[in-house]
Amino acid sequence: MSSVREVLGELRRRPGRRYYRPIPGNAGDALIAAGFNHLAERLDVPFTELAGDALAPAGPTADDVLILAGGGWLTSHWDFGAPALAALTRLDAALVLLPQSLSGNADTLRLLRPRDVLFVRERYSLAYARSLGL
């Protein structure tokens, strides 16, 4: 297992562009976003923040990485998370999912590819991810 710090440090050395897709959430989600911004700045990891309705950049390549905001958007409580993740796994870019709460959406979570990185934020989410073979 790698830490967020280690993964972001590796991104700094990789070719390609890095994009960050924020997702509105609660105070816990805001703390994850603040932590990401702090680490990215400290580690000198440049990224372009995607704004508005754009789920992903136009024409991402296999060298590009899309960093997705952490939170609870991959739980069964929200109807936009699973379709968004399914669409993103069809892109060439690798995905880094900042700490997530997980429940439901098993078929969509199994679409994650070996090059994608998923961080979970609670013990029950880790157990769920492991039960899916992630």
Side-chain angles (χ1 to χ4, degrees):
M1 282 191 231
S2 297
S3 69
V4 174
R5 175 190 273 286
E6 291 167 335
V7 169
L8 290 181
E10 289 172 17
L11 290 182
R12 183 184 59 202
R13 295 182 290 277
R14 284 181 54 170
R17 299 165 293 178
R18 285 153 297 284
Y19 299 94
Y20 173 65
R21 179 64 182 126
I23 296 176
N26 62 23
D29 303 338
L31 285 173
I32 296 169
F36 163 73
N37 282 296
H38 175 75
L39 271 177
E41 183 178 325
R42 279 191 75 193
L43 298 172
D44 194 28
V45 178
F47 64 90
T48 301
E49 186 169 311
L50 300 171
D53 293 335
L55 186 58
T61 70
D63 286 336
D64 296 340
V65 176
L66 179 55
I67 303 163
L68 303 170
W73 58 274
L74 285 174
T75 65
S76 53
H77 301 291
W78 304 104
D79 60 0
F80 67 87
L85 182 60
L88 293 171
T89 59
R90 291 191 291 270
L91 299 176
D92 288 335
L95 306 175
V96 173
L97 290 82
L98 295 177
Q100 304 290 323
S101 293
L102 304 175
S103 69
N105 302 313
D107 291 338
T108 303
L109 289 166
R110 286 188 183 108
L111 295 174
L112 289 169
R113 304 150 302 179
R115 69 177 180 248
D116 299 328
V117 177
L118 168 66
F119 290 101
V120 297
R121 64 183 196 175
E122 315 85 7
R123 191 170 285 172
Y124 75 82
S125 293
L126 177 60
Y128 185 60
R130 286 181 172 161
S131 78
L132 299 177
L134 303 178

